[in-house]
Amino acid sequence: MNWQQTIASLPSSLQREVELALTHLLEACDVIQRETYAALLNDLNFSQRLAKLFACSQFAAQLCRRHPDWLITSQQNGELDHNFTHENFAARLQTLLQHDGSGDALDSALRRFRNREYLRIIWRDLNRLAEMAETTADISAVAETTIQTALDFHYAQLQREWGAPCSARDGSAQPFIVIGMGKLGARELNLSSDVDLIFAYPRSGETKRECSGETHGTGKSISNQEFFIQLGQRLIKSLEQNTADGFVFRVDMRLRPYGDSGALVLNFDALEEYYQDQGRDWERYAMIKARPVAESTGSTATSMNFPAGNRLIEILRPFTYRRYLDYSAFEALREMKMLIHRDVQRRRLHDNIKLGAGGIREIEFIAQCFQLIRGGRERRLQERNLQRVLVTLAELNYLPAAAVGQLQQAYIFLRNTEHAIQAWLDQQSQALPKADLPRSALAYALGYHNWPSFQLELDRHRQHVSAHFNNIIALPMDKQEANAAHAYDRWQTFWMDEELSLDNMAQQLAAAGFDQVEEAARRCLEMRTSKAVQLLQTTARARLDTFMPQLLQALTQVERPGTTLLRILPLVEAVLRRTAYLVLLVENPAALRELVLLCAASPWISRQLTQHPVLLDELLNAGTLYTAPEKTALQRDLREQLLRLEWNDLEGQMDALRYFKLAHSLRVAASEISGTLPLMKVSDYLTWIAETIIDHVLELAWHHLTDKYGTPRKADGALCAKDFIVVGYGKLGGIELSHGSDLDLVFIHAADPSLTTDGAIEIDNSTFFTRLGQRMIHILSTQTALGPLYEVDMRLRPSGNSGLLVSSLKAFADYQLQRAWTWEHQALVRARVIAGDRGLADAFNQVRREILCQPRDLDKLRNDVLAMRQKMREQLRPRNTETAEHPVFDLKHGSAAMIDIEFIAQYAVLAWAHTHPELARWTDNIRILETLQQNGLCSEQIANGLIEAYKAYRSAAHRLNLQQQPGLVALNDFARERESVIAAWQTFMAEKAGRKKH
């Protein structure tokens, strides 16, 4: 009764189709199966759903006739009413695998699994028991499960034949990675999708019987490339070969580098090189959805964790997502959009709901335009799933919420239509049917009883999509931009009009409030007519001609636009062959504004940017540009930047370290100029940058030396746990680094010099640590394209330049106790361990404390300190600065300047640390002076006067440094501070003063 009522409720054009399908099904059943179906048909829900399945999918009806038990089992187990997880699919495939170990058995199981799951998926989709997103995710899960299972099987087979593929570098086993592209990568497969794949493996090498402790193969070996090509070929055959059971998925490998003419499999280095050097814009577009979908584990266990595959995606991410907006992206997208229009017209694709006007492809294009253009800066857009991208576009106000709502509704309707078209015969098609029967089936699948009503709704959605598609990649001008257009046109005339004379250009600059108008006009004209500009390619010249008017307009917002222009023009000239940097500024007005403001404030910053234009990227994020992270955040940032680099990639490591230093130095300068970072924090930040770098440089040098020579031994045969420390002296030790400071370093080890390393090439421990120090100095001071990290001064080591580069702690202690000059003990006051072994650092601190806390003859100490101070004045202070016609004060070396305050602090530590050992705790002048006052060794007035003077001097010196000016100020500018220092000097250094304090 229920079945007949169900048939009567169907559109008349589909009733006979459904009757015949049921008749054929029952004919294929045995007695028990027919009885079971008879019982099931009395259930109205089952009856209606089966009728919908047969009415809308001849493919599903054929599956039921060939396998009558599938639907019965699925209904009885409740599988038709529940969604599955990825793990469910993997477990269900395992139940179908036979254990005879043959490839034919595997291929048969994969096809039966695919068809059984498709029957369930189509049932749930047509009867709207599953949302569209669940349907696409389930189809994608079927693909991933079959790919992984086939990969595990063939990987194991090939291992038995050839052994395991191993890295030539370290012998580690090499996995095979399958990257899913397109709809598979986004988990958005349709019922008849191809699977677009790229195959990869990490490193070159060859197969071995023993790889990572396992034994495989027959003794013969082949290259990893040959092994993985065979593996890829077998995997493809298992998936797409048509057998009596059909196929699993058609495989499309054309998205790999060089397409059909390229190698089937490439290693990571080759892939990275290809995309960096030859990757095209459409490949960036395709790479948005790239995702690892399978990875060989060397066993038959499947896994959703793809460590190597995820690493590859991270390596290729910079190719896909640029950190700035690039004209090349706009132009490429405009070209793609034009090609889409032409393709629709040429192929007459109006009836194609994917490729036609208002189709699925146009929705994808809208979303991916924003991803390509803005995804580098907005990580939320680095998303593969289109629906989630659309939601993000609304949340970020990149598209109106109403537009996003229309696109989402259209996408769901079009994808449901696509599935219904493909469910009819399991054919790869997105074309609307021409014949009446499939049209009726399609309309009914979407919930319409006739074709015209379905067509009306379809046209409505497609019209919405077309309207939004036609608006995309336009460059609308908002009201503020419109107001600025006139000013832009004026500066465009200034830059482009070859009839303008130099005088006319200077007059226009003067009228706009520029200073240095003659020089600014001359430099602009000189650059515009220069050979370098004249030889620019068309695209590069267009970028320059777009940028210069915007720059000139932006300069009108600062106090001295002419001076600032003269600072920025060298940067423009430096990037004429790399005009992507100009695009960065054109497409990011906020970054251009930051450039103008920073260069107006500091010629030091403009010089840094000119020498290293890559730093322009830092201007994109004002949140980080004006923020000073703590040391732990600096360490984390450096780790993240170095994550992709191997330890033996010395060049890459050195470049990454230099960029890290330059970027953070720019940030501290910007923060100092803006006033968001006080002086003490500036020095802290610069010191933390150096410490973070030196700590990694030590690790890097250690890896290099131990790879070559092994690890130094101890007397008991154990290996040294990096018994080495780096001691910072001077400003580094005193946590008082400034911009451009050198590093005063001393290296100390604690290894037995009579023993050797344990490597294949043995060297004695002393030589090992000497070479370790040499390697560190090389890494720190070598001139690269990004400059040196730091200039390193090693003259404070025992015996200076004539002494050993690396001393043992015992030799260091002996020297300091028996042969060191007083000035060397003064230097030790500011010595601090900044990297290396913690135990050795504690031992050094104990030695330092013992030396500083020795009782001293105060008269001799005072005389030595005074003699050294006088010697420094004679050698370092500019002549006659304080007695000239316009006397100036040298902030560092002048009378009552910074050096005098440092000498007072050092004298006090050496004089009284034996009775007040807490003085030896600190290495920075401020806390030493505070400790003196707390212990009654000087008055609060004297201590505060010295502290305030020291801060004032340093702050002024920092500002002058950023202005690239010498540390000289008018003599009267710091009269009060100088009086405080002179009074303190008399108090501490006058004869008998030391004894009175003692």
Side-chain angles (χ1 to χ4, degrees):
M1 179 65 69
N2 284 333
W3 180 248
Q4 295 305 320
Q5 291 174 346
T6 298
I7 292 294
S9 68
L10 296 173
S12 58
S13 58
L14 298 174
Q15 291 179 10
R16 176 169 172 72
E17 188 73 17
V18 174
E19 286 279 19
L20 284 173
L22 179 63
T23 299
H24 293 151
L25 169 61
L26 295 177
E27 288 173 351
C29 292
D30 58 28
V31 174
I32 296 175
Q33 290 170 339
R34 278 197 295 273
E35 291 175 353
T36 303
Y37 273 114
L40 289 173
L41 290 173
N42 285 323
D43 180 329
L44 183 59
N45 278 338
F46 182 86
S47 177
Q48 290 175 338
R49 291 170 182 173
L50 183 64
K52 185 77 174 282
L53 182 74
F54 286 170
C56 301
S57 177
Q58 291 186 348
F59 168 64
Q62 292 167 3
L63 288 177
C64 289
R65 185 164 66 250
R66 292 171 59 190
H67 305 281
D69 58 312
W70 283 1
L71 208 54
I72 294 172
T73 302
S74 296
Q75 174 66 15
Q76 291 175 341
N77 292 342
E79 295 168 354
L80 299 177
D81 296 316
H82 294 93
N83 60 351
F84 284 172
T85 65
H86 192 283
E87 289 73 19
N88 292 144
F89 286 104
R92 286 164 67 80
L93 176 53
Q94 290 300 315
T95 64
L96 295 176
L97 292 174
Q98 298 179 11
H99 301 288
D100 64 3
S102 72
D104 289 343
L106 169 75
D107 293 349
S108 177
L110 293 177
R111 284 150 179 76
R112 285 184 290 115
F113 168 75
R114 182 262 195 190
N115 289 333
R116 188 184 69 176
E117 298 308 324
Y118 265 38
L119 178 59
R120 172 189 163 277
I121 291 169
I122 293 171
W123 173 284
R124 289 178 56 76
D125 179 68
L126 292 176
N127 286 294
R128 293 296 171 260
L129 301 175
E131 299 290 337
M132 182 275 294
E134 180 189 324
T135 298
T136 58
D138 279 1
I139 299 168
S140 302
V142 170
E144 292 174 53
T145 303
T146 52
I147 292 170
Q148 182 69 63
T149 302
L151 173 59
D152 289 335
F153 175 87
H154 292 300
Y155 188 89
Q157 290 278 68
L158 276 169
Q159 274 189 325
R160 285 191 285 271
E161 295 174 28
W162 298 108
C166 299
S167 166
R169 185 178 304 171
D170 58 16
S172 60
Q174 296 299 288
F176 180 84
I177 296 99
V178 180
I179 300 296
M181 307 291 286
K183 285 186 167 60
L184 175 58
R187 294 190 173 95
E188 295 171 344
L189 280 184
N190 57 49
L191 281 167
S192 293
S193 284
D194 293 349
V195 287
D196 295 295
L197 305 178
I198 291 176
F199 297 153
Y201 63 97
R203 295 177 183 166
S204 298
E206 62 181 20
T207 59
K208 296 181 181 178
R209 286 182 54 79
E210 295 184 5
C211 189
S212 298
E214 299 181 10
T215 301
H216 305 280
T218 61
K220 297 179 180 179
S221 66
I222 57 175
S223 70
N224 289 354
Q225 181 79 2
E226 293 174 278
F227 180 95
F228 287 125
I229 287 175
Q230 289 187 35
L231 179 56
Q233 290 169 339
R234 294 187 188 187
L235 174 60
I236 292 170
K237 183 178 178 182
S238 276
L239 293 174
E240 73 173 13
Q241 186 177 33
N242 228 324
T243 71
D245 296 303
F247 63 94
V248 187
F249 287 97
R250 290 172 292 268
V251 178
D252 192 334
M253 300 295 298
R254 289 176 296 176
L255 291 181
R256 71 186 189 269
Y258 305 108
D260 286 338
S261 62
L264 186 65
V265 193
L266 289 173
N267 62 38
F268 285 9
D269 288 343
L271 283 167
E272 184 176 19
E273 181 180 354
Y274 171 83
Y275 286 114
Q276 283 182 349
D277 297 342
Q278 302 183 51
R280 289 157 289 182
D281 292 304
W282 69 262
E283 289 175 300
R284 282 185 64 202
Y285 189 87
M287 199 59 69
I288 287 175
K289 293 182 180 292
R291 176 176 64 91
V293 296
E295 184 171 314
S296 63
T297 60
S299 70
T300 56
T302 60
S303 171
M304 284 295 288
N305 298 316
F306 308 122
N310 288 322
R311 189 166 76 251
L312 175 60
I313 294 299
E314 287 305 310
I315 289 171
L316 300 181
R317 188 180 298 277
F319 165 71
T320 309
Y321 296 108
R322 310 289 166 80
R323 295 183 66 185
Y324 53 85
L325 304 183
D326 193 339
Y327 265 137
S328 62
F330 282 104
E331 294 305 321
L333 290 166
R334 288 191 187 99
E335 185 175 340
M336 281 187 214
K337 181 178 177 181
M338 192 178 303
L339 289 173
I340 290 172
H341 277 303
R342 290 174 181 169
D343 194 42
V344 171
Q345 294 170 0
R346 179 176 59 84
R347 297 168 60 189
R348 299 178 181 178
L349 294 171
H350 179 71
D351 286 338
N352 191 303
I353 54 109
K354 176 184 178 181
L355 304 178
I360 296 168
R361 178 171 62 174
E362 292 186 358
I363 303 175
E364 293 173 335
F365 181 83
I366 291 170
Q368 288 173 298
C369 279
F370 285 97
Q371 290 181 279
L372 280 181
I373 295 168
R374 300 186 180 275
R377 285 190 298 162
E378 183 53 70
R379 290 192 65 87
R380 291 172 60 190
L381 288 174
Q382 295 183 18
E383 166 65 54
R384 300 178 181 97
N385 182 273
L386 185 137
Q387 289 281 66
R388 289 196 286 270
V389 173
L390 290 174
V391 170
T392 301
L393 291 176
E395 291 174 349
L396 297 174
N397 295 317
Y398 291 153
L399 279 178
V404 168
Q406 290 178 343
L407 290 171
Q408 288 179 305
Q409 293 170 20
Y411 185 70
I412 293 170
F413 187 89
L414 290 167
R415 290 305 303 271
N416 284 335
T417 301
E418 178 183 47
H419 291 152
I421 291 171
Q422 295 174 351
W424 179 245
L425 289 175
D426 190 28
Q427 291 180 345
Q428 189 181 26
S429 173
Q430 286 93 9
L432 295 172
K434 302 293 186 183
D436 290 340
L437 181 61
R439 279 190 168 190
S440 296
L442 175 58
Y444 185 54
L446 271 292
Y448 300 90
H449 263 64
N450 58 67
W451 181 256
S453 58
F454 162 76
Q455 184 80 60
L456 187 66
E457 183 67 4
L458 174 64
D459 290 344
R460 184 178 72 85
H461 285 299
R462 293 179 69 174
Q463 287 165 7
H464 287 158
V465 174
S466 285
H468 297 306
F469 175 75
N470 290 332
N471 288 333
I472 207 69
I473 305 299
L475 299 175
M477 184 178 292
D478 61 25
K479 186 174 180 180
Q480 183 176 359
E481 290 170 329
N483 291 336
H486 176 70
Y488 177 85
D489 290 343
R490 175 163 52 94
W491 289 117
Q492 189 175 43
T493 301
F494 171 90
W495 173 250
M496 299 285 291
D497 189 351
E498 296 181 0
E499 300 299 322
L500 274 182
S501 68
L502 185 61
D503 288 342
N504 289 337
M505 293 175 71
Q507 290 171 9
Q508 185 169 331
L509 290 173
F514 277 64
D515 61 314
Q516 299 200 53
V517 291
E518 290 83 4
E519 179 64 11
R522 186 187 67 79
R523 288 291 309 281
C524 284
L525 181 61
E526 189 178 81
M527 186 173 75
R528 190 184 70 196
T529 58
S530 68
K531 186 175 182 180
V533 170
Q534 299 302 317
L535 293 177
L536 286 177
Q537 294 182 354
T538 304
T539 301
R541 180 61 191 264
R543 291 175 175 180
L544 175 65
D545 291 343
T546 301
F547 169 74
M548 284 303 297
Q550 292 190 20
L551 170 64
L552 291 162
Q553 174 62 20
L555 286 166
T556 62
Q557 305 304 308
V558 296
E559 187 175 344
R560 299 171 63 201
T563 299
T564 308
L565 173 63
L566 294 174
R567 294 174 182 174
I568 294 176
L569 285 179
L571 167 62
V572 179
E573 292 168 342
V575 300
L576 285 177
R577 297 296 179 185
R578 296 168 289 173
T579 53
Y581 289 118
L582 299 182
V583 175
L584 179 155
L585 297 167
V586 167
E587 297 293 345
N588 293 271
L592 177 58
R593 184 167 56 251
E594 297 298 342
L595 171 69
V596 169
L597 290 174
L598 290 174
C599 291
S602 169
W604 182 89
I605 289 180
S606 64
R607 183 168 60 87
Q608 288 292 100
L609 292 171
T610 299
Q611 291 176 348
H612 311 294
V614 66
L615 292 175
L616 289 170
D617 282 352
E618 299 300 320
L619 305 183
L620 291 174
N621 190 339
T624 59
L625 182 61
Y626 297 104
T627 301
E630 296 298 318
K631 186 176 180 181
T632 53
L634 283 167
Q635 293 168 330
R636 182 171 60 251
D637 183 25
L638 182 59
R639 279 197 305 271
E640 290 173 356
Q641 290 192 33
L642 297 171
L643 197 60
R644 289 171 41 208
L645 297 172
E646 301 289 346
W647 283 107
N648 59 3
D649 182 5
L650 186 59
E651 182 179 351
Q653 293 269 348
M654 289 169 66
D655 283 343
L657 285 167
R658 280 154 176 76
Y659 182 82
F660 171 84
K661 188 225 177 175
L662 290 168
H664 283 284
S665 296
L666 176 65
R667 293 177 192 179
V668 71
S671 300
E672 187 174 5
I673 286 169
S674 68
T676 60
L677 203 60
L679 168 68
M680 300 301 287
K681 280 293 184 182
V682 168
S683 292
D684 287 350
Y685 191 14
L686 291 170
T687 304
W688 292 340
I689 293 170
E691 290 178 5
T692 300
I693 288 172
I694 290 171
D695 189 62
H696 183 78
V697 167
L698 174 55
E699 290 289 331
L700 186 57
W702 181 267
H703 273 273
H704 176 85
L705 267 293
T706 53
D707 278 352
K708 191 171 184 179
Y709 302 114
T711 305
R713 293 187 179 97
K714 294 184 178 180
D716 61 2
L719 299 179
C720 292
K722 209 176 298 175
D723 292 343
F724 182 89
I725 55 173
V726 180
V727 181
Y729 276 68
K731 288 185 177 181
L732 177 59
I735 319 175
E736 295 171 354
L737 279 186
S738 57
H739 301 285
S741 290
D742 295 348
L743 300 184
D744 293 298
L745 303 179
V746 169
F747 299 146
I748 294 174
H749 75 85
D752 187 334
S754 66
L755 300 176
T756 64
T757 60
D758 71 336
I761 303 174
E762 291 187 2
I763 57 174
D764 63 80
N765 288 349
S766 292
T767 302
F768 177 91
F769 283 110
T770 297
R771 292 183 182 178
L772 180 65
Q774 291 169 337
R775 174 59 56 175
M776 289 188 66
I777 294 171
H778 169 77
I779 295 170
L780 287 167
S781 59
T782 295
Q783 184 77 31
T784 71
L786 292 176
L789 275 169
Y790 293 96
E791 296 297 332
V792 177
D793 191 335
M794 301 294 298
R795 290 176 295 178
L796 289 175
R797 68 186 187 269
S799 301
N801 287 337
S802 63
L804 295 174
L805 182 67
V806 185
S807 300
S808 69
L809 182 61
K810 182 179 183 304
F812 177 86
D814 289 345
Y815 176 85
Q816 290 287 344
L817 287 167
Q818 299 172 20
R819 301 192 300 279
W821 297 81
T822 298
W823 68 264
E824 291 178 288
H825 287 176
Q826 286 181 250
L828 191 62
V829 170
R830 289 161 68 80
R832 180 173 60 90
V833 177
I834 58 171
D837 180 72
R838 191 67 261 165
L840 182 56
D842 291 340
F844 171 84
N845 289 335
Q846 182 60 35
V847 168
R848 173 181 176 274
R849 191 180 190 85
E850 289 174 2
I851 294 167
L852 295 181
C853 292
Q854 292 180 99
R856 287 175 171 81
D857 181 324
L858 295 190
D859 288 335
K860 181 180 183 305
L861 173 64
R862 185 177 62 256
N863 290 334
D864 287 347
V865 171
L866 289 171
M868 177 54 66
R869 182 68 189 102
Q870 182 60 33
K871 183 178 180 180
M872 289 183 67
R873 280 200 181 100
E874 292 173 355
Q875 292 180 351
L876 300 174
R877 190 177 71 178
R879 300 290 180 183
N880 303 320
T881 54
E882 295 172 18
T883 58
E885 183 179 352
H886 300 288
V888 295
F889 173 50
D890 188 319
L891 289 164
K892 183 174 182 181
H893 297 291
S895 298
M898 277 189 280
I899 294 295
D900 286 333
I901 300 174
E902 292 174 1
F903 268 55
I904 289 172
Q906 293 161 11
Y907 169 81
V909 172
L910 297 177
W912 301 311
H914 69 287
T915 56
H916 299 278
E918 56 269 29
L919 284 171
R921 177 181 180 186
W922 307 113
T923 61
D924 62 288
N925 293 300
I926 301 294
R927 283 185 289 194
I928 290 173
L929 294 170
E930 290 173 345
T931 306
L932 285 172
Q933 186 267 319
Q934 292 164 3
N935 284 273
L937 297 169
C938 72
S939 68
E940 182 177 355
Q941 180 182 358
I942 287 177
N944 288 343
L946 289 173
I947 289 171
E948 293 307 314
Y950 197 64
K951 287 182 178 179
Y953 293 161
R954 286 181 58 206
S955 182
H958 274 261
R959 287 194 300 270
L960 289 168
N961 191 6
L962 289 177
Q963 294 300 322
Q964 292 189 292
Q965 298 294 324
L968 302 174
V969 296
L971 186 62
N972 294 328
D973 285 355
F974 291 92
R976 183 172 60 84
E977 288 81 2
R978 293 181 72 232
E979 288 176 4
S980 296
V981 177
I982 290 169
W985 184 269
Q986 292 298 322
T987 301
F988 281 94
M989 294 301 187
E991 191 174 356
K992 307 298 184 184
R995 291 196 187 91
K996 290 176 183 176
K997 289 292 177 186
H998 179 61

